[in-house]
Amino acid sequence: MLQRAAPWSPSRRRDPLIRRLGHEDTLELCELAALDPVANVFIAAHLLTAGSAAPTQSGAEILGAYDGDGRLVSACWLGANIVPVGMQEEAAPAFAEVIRGANRRFASIFGPAEPTLALYEGLGGPRAREVRPVQPLMAIEGGASVRPDPLVRVTGLDDFDAVAPACVAMFEEEVGYSPVAGGSDNYYRRVRQLIQQGHSMARFGDHGEVVFKAELGAVSSAASQVQGVWVAPAHRGLGLSHGGMAAVVSIARQLAPIVSLYVNDYNERAKACYERVGFERVGTFATVLF
């Protein structure tokens, strides 16, 4: 078990057990993430894009915990969101103490259920708007078990005006408030980024509207993670999600061999869809929303 670490700040000596990672720690962090490529796809995707464990220009940083032999045994992304990496539940209180000392604001904690919920408990102060303690983590390696919808395609920037409202509608349904209520620039910038990366997929209706959509929120060399799956209300119950998700799997596997996602445990219809497509449960995530 890790000992509790003193809060970290730029002006004090780094704690020898938990410290901020830098560029020199990149390879060791990559090796840690590779131990579970599905659960750790978020951090692996960041490392693939940024090429470094050093703090980002936006101020996000990665904390690492070391054992007595000086080996990196777990880590934690600390930015707008908190994401545990290879973290055991018993290590969470030490990370939480360091995070409290960093005096940051964050929108969520998400990742494997046990460390995610333990981090939330260890943080103590901020009251969550919602806690989703059981979210099946699912993955598929290989082709889908149903025929892909041939009308689902990778979107382009010319599709932005149709894709953006669908993304907003999905977010409002899933989270309970509008992502553009306090200003649309950041959210629409993210939608454009996903389109530019080739990570946005959709089927369009007769009038150019989105009737099915999904994105790849994270893509590493080993795995991708699907997010934002949505069917327009007027088109629900027609089976579009099965062929749509099969098409997403086919497109995503051109980028990485494993396709993953996590889903709310109470969403029986979505779980049934993913299972029919060929996804299998490989773990449990949790999300804490602030």
Side-chain angles (χ1 to χ4, degrees), residues 21-27 29-30 43 46-56 62 77:
L21 301 185
H23 181 74
E24 67 278 7
D25 304 301
T26 302
L27 178 57
L29 182 59
C30 287
I43 198 69
H46 165 75
L47 291 171
L48 182 64
T49 301
S52 176
T56 68
I62 305 168
W77 171 270

Side-chain angles (χ1 to χ4, degrees), residues 122-184:
L123 288 174
R127 177 176 297 180
R129 183 169 49 81
E130 185 177 358
V131 178
R132 300 176 180 181
V134 180
Q135 297 176 303
L137 176 64
M138 309 180 78
I140 182 172
E141 189 171 7
S145 57
V146 300
R147 179 175 176 268
D149 184 344
L151 297 181
V152 172
R153 62 173 175 81
V154 176
T155 66
L157 285 176
D158 288 347
D159 302 309
F160 174 82
D161 288 343
V163 171
C167 291
V168 171
M170 181 283 305
F171 190 101
E172 290 175 340
E173 268 190 69
E174 175 68 16
V175 183
Y177 65 89
S178 172
V180 298
S184 62

Side-chain angles (χ1 to χ4, degrees), residues 1-3 16-18 21 28-29 31-33 35 40 63-76 84-91 95:
M1 180 183 296
L2 290 171
Q3 299 175 11
L17 292 176
I18 295 182
L21 301 185
E28 199 170 11
L29 182 59
E31 292 172 346
L32 177 66
L35 295 176
N40 297 327
L63 303 176
Y66 291 80
D67 65 13
D69 296 323
R71 292 180 300 129
L72 181 68
V73 292
S74 58
C76 189
V85 181
M87 188 186 301
Q88 299 300 312
E89 181 179 3
E90 58 267 26
F95 276 100

Side-chain angles (χ1 to χ4, degrees), residues 134-268:
V134 180
Q135 297 176 303
L137 176 64
M138 309 180 78
I140 182 172
E141 189 171 7
S145 57
V146 300
R147 179 175 176 268
D149 184 344
L151 297 181
V152 172
R153 62 173 175 81
V154 176
T155 66
L157 285 176
D158 288 347
D159 302 309
F160 174 82
D161 288 343
V163 171
C167 291
V168 171
M170 181 283 305
F171 190 101
E172 290 175 340
E173 268 190 69
E174 175 68 16
V175 183
Y177 65 89
S178 172
V180 298
S184 62
D185 288 353
N186 288 339
Y187 186 77
Y188 287 153
R189 187 180 301 114
R190 175 59 175 162
V191 173
R192 286 192 179 90
Q193 181 185 48
L194 290 167
I195 292 173
Q196 290 172 324
Q197 292 172 330
H199 295 173
S200 165
M201 292 139 282
R203 171 175 172 164
F204 296 87
D206 294 338
H207 304 289
E209 76 282 12
V210 171
V211 299
F212 167 88
K213 76 157 196 77
E215 295 87 40
L216 302 179
V219 179
S220 73
S221 59
S224 63
Q225 188 175 89
V226 181
Q227 67 175 31
V229 180
W230 182 81
V231 177
H235 295 267
R236 292 174 186 174
L238 304 177
L240 290 180
S241 60
H242 300 107
M245 282 303 300
V248 169
V249 169
S250 179
I251 294 168
R253 290 192 69 247
Q254 297 175 34
L255 304 175
I258 303 173
V259 186
S260 70
L261 54 83
Y262 58 100
V263 59
N264 292 318
D265 190 52
Y266 54 78
N267 195 339
E268 297 293 343

